[in-house]
Amino acid sequence: MHLRDSLRRILSSRPPRRLPVVSTTAAAVLVPLFERDGQAHLWLMRRPTSMRSHAGQVAFPGGKLDASDASLRAAALRETQEELGIGPERVDVLGALDDTRTFTGFTISPWVGWLASDIDVTPNPNEVARAFAVPLRAFLAPPQGAPPLRGWKIDGELVWGATAAIVRRLVAVVREVGAESLT
């Protein structure tokens, strides 16, 4: 798909803006893209309401940087395997987006990855209440609502907060490529 190569080229041509992790917790997420029916899609998940932080929220797979993680990229890939059952060897990491800081005390480093369209997603019920695929095109429309709940209503879920901020950054890069590349 043209989008995959174009995203790799753009993301590798400029370093992501990294924020200092001062008084926050370092975390990383994977923005997992794939092609379905000729269109780019991305995987999102809703966290269970039983979780200590971000309960019931829509998110990308990811979490805190562990001492065992070699890098933020490694943390994003580890968390993706733990939460969605997608091993690191199944992810073609295209590059990183700029960091996002949350009001809940995290500095998130997002990594954009491409998956095979036939990949099996196996959500971990302890960390994922629901995994769902969304056409990337759905995020080309402007977000709706008022802060802090400004975002997109997609497939019965509200995509807002840090997840919406990361989606907005991805969409900005996609717009550089050209929206026609989503098909």
Side-chain angles (χ1 to χ4, degrees), residues 19-22 24 99-103 105-108 162 169:
L19 300 173
V21 182
V22 178
T24 63
D99 283 358
T100 298
R101 187 160 286 142
T102 70
F103 65 88
F106 291 89
T107 298
I108 303 170
R169 288 194 176 104

Side-chain angles (χ1 to χ4, degrees), residues 17-87:
R17 182 177 55 107
R18 293 291 178 231
L19 300 173
V21 182
V22 178
S23 303
T24 63
T25 301
V29 298
L30 183 72
V31 180
L33 295 166
F34 67 98
E35 182 180 350
R36 178 185 285 165
D37 299 326
Q39 291 189 40
H41 284 67
L42 58 88
W43 281 106
L44 290 168
M45 55 189 212
R46 181 174 25 87
R47 301 238 179 245
T49 55
S50 59
M51 296 199 70
R52 285 184 305 232
S53 61
H54 308 110
Q57 293 181 12
V58 171
F60 290 111
K64 296 178 196 175
L65 180 69
D66 283 353
S68 64
D69 293 323
S71 64
L72 289 163
R73 175 183 163 153
L77 293 171
R78 175 185 51 75
E79 289 282 349
T80 300
Q81 184 165 17
E82 289 175 9
E83 295 173 350
L84 294 179
I86 300 169

